[in-house]
Amino acid sequence: MAVLKCAGRTLDLARAQVMGILNVTPDSFSDGGSVYEAQHLSVERALQKAAQMVNQGATLIDIGGESTRPGAEPVPVQEELERVVPVVERLSRELDVVLSVDTSAPEVMQAAASAGAHLLNDVRSFSRPGAFEVAVASDLALCVMHMQGSSPATMQLRPHYRDVTEEVEHFLQFQLQRCREAGISDDRIVLDPGFGFGKTLEHNLELLNRMQRLQALGAPLLVGTSRKSMVGQALGRPVDQRLYGSLATVALAVGKGAKIIRVHDVAPTVDVVRMTEAVLNETAGV
């Protein structure tokens, strides 16, 4: 699929695109409180951070109001709405960028769509009651992700696979067919293997190494390995020292077919993506 249709916008997938992470959760490990005042997001500061990522080369911004890191507890829907919707409204007015909303709550999906979002990114693959119906009725792009376990709070409790790549492939194939049968066109669908979601270090390494198998599904792949524990465990690095390891996974992911790279560190990632593509295509694409 050369393009992704996102609620009236078209994202070119002839080359890999970079998605910048904009967490609007007070306990976000990646932001460290830098965009929060008294544990409430400052919309103005969120706009500044998003604008910086766009200037650095991000073509998508992923806005999340509920932490999905291992062990994270659910956030009340009303609180998630209050965190996310004002940011979507402001960014949709101010920035020329695809706005993704990282949520599993159908109420948040609906409100975000009305506020100007373009993509729904659900780590639970639209499994909550009403979520899939909201997604189908919208014209937003959808990202469905593999996660072993029912929620981030429990996903890392002894994950087990016979063959992790095969099981992820089968799950994503099922989700792709589900979307098609509901009338969602292929040019609105993105698939995420779910690195770090119900997977050990060994599972993550194997999945990344064999990820090219997932290209056979025929849908663009989104990969998010930025600063994750798989990098920390492999290198013995705390979260604030995982940039170089994360960039290595980006180069590998692009080489194996990823079309959207979800990251905290946009500027260096854009360089890695473009350099990797220059080698793969044997031509500079600047």
Side-chain angles (χ1 to χ4, degrees):
M1 221 28 88
V3 299
L4 182 68
K5 293 185 178 178
C6 316
R9 298 180 66 104
T10 299
L11 185 68
D12 180 13
L13 296 181
R15 64 195 311 197
Q17 303 293 337
V18 174
M19 170 187 277
I21 299 170
L22 184 64
N23 287 318
V24 293
T25 53
D27 61 344
S28 167
F29 75 86
S30 59
D31 289 311
S34 63
V35 296
Y36 300 102
E37 295 173 352
Q39 295 191 331
H40 291 284
L41 177 71
S42 162
V43 175
E44 189 67 34
R45 294 176 73 183
L47 172 62
Q48 292 172 3
K49 181 171 183 180
Q52 179 184 45
M53 291 191 288
V54 172
N55 289 336
Q56 292 172 342
T59 50
L60 307 95
I61 299 294
D62 193 38
I63 304 162
E66 179 184 51
S67 177
T68 54
R69 65 185 180 185
E73 294 297 329
V75 172
V77 170
Q78 186 57 41
E79 185 174 346
E80 189 179 355
L81 284 166
E82 291 171 357
R83 293 176 180 178
V84 169
V85 175
V87 175
V88 174
E89 290 176 339
R90 184 67 182 276
L91 268 57
S92 69
R93 294 195 304 267
E94 301 283 347
L95 300 178
D96 181 20
V97 66
V98 173
L99 297 179
S100 167
V101 175
D102 183 358
T103 185
S104 298
E107 300 91 341
V108 178
M109 293 178 186
Q110 185 67 66
S114 299
H118 307 104
L119 188 155
L120 299 174
N121 180 19
D122 185 3
V123 301
R124 297 175 178 85
S125 293
F126 304 92
S127 61
R128 284 184 175 173
F132 191 58
E133 289 74 13
V134 170
V136 170
S138 77
D139 61 350
L140 278 66
L142 313 179
C143 181
V144 293
M145 192 196 78
H146 176 273
M147 174 173 61
Q148 188 176 92
S150 59
S151 74
T154 59
M155 65 185 178
Q156 289 303 109
L157 297 179
R158 297 179 296 279
H160 175 76
Y161 299 87
R162 182 180 57 82
D163 182 323
V164 63
T165 310
E166 181 178 302
E167 291 184 40
V168 169
E169 182 180 10
H170 287 171
F171 175 86
L172 293 177
Q173 177 63 61
F174 173 82
Q175 294 297 332
L176 186 58
Q177 189 61 33
R178 176 193 184 205
C179 290
R180 289 168 173 166
E181 290 176 354
I184 300 171
S185 59
D186 284 8
D187 57 11
R188 288 177 52 204
I189 305 170
V190 179
L191 304 177
D192 183 346
F195 290 99
F197 285 81
K199 299 171 184 72
T200 64
L201 171 61
E202 290 73 20
H203 294 147
N204 287 311
L205 297 177
E206 178 181 331
L207 182 59
L208 181 56
N209 192 38
R210 304 179 186 183
M211 197 185 75
Q212 67 272 15
R213 286 174 48 181
L214 303 181
Q215 292 188 64
L217 295 171
L221 299 175
L222 182 152
V223 168
T225 52
S226 178
R227 304 189 192 177
K228 285 190 173 175
S229 61
M230 64 179 285
V231 177
Q233 292 169 5
L235 300 178
R237 301 292 187 189
V239 69
D240 61 348
Q241 296 178 25
R242 296 177 186 173
L243 173 60
Y244 301 133
S246 295
L247 294 176
T249 66
V250 168
L252 288 165
V254 172
K256 294 175 183 295
K259 290 300 181 183
I260 300 177
I261 306 295
R262 181 180 182 274
V263 296
H264 302 90
D265 307 286
V266 170
T269 299
V270 170
D271 280 355
V272 168
V273 168
R274 298 294 164 246
M275 190 65 221
T276 303
E277 289 182 328
V279 174
L280 293 173
N281 299 327
E282 300 179 13
T283 182
V286 177

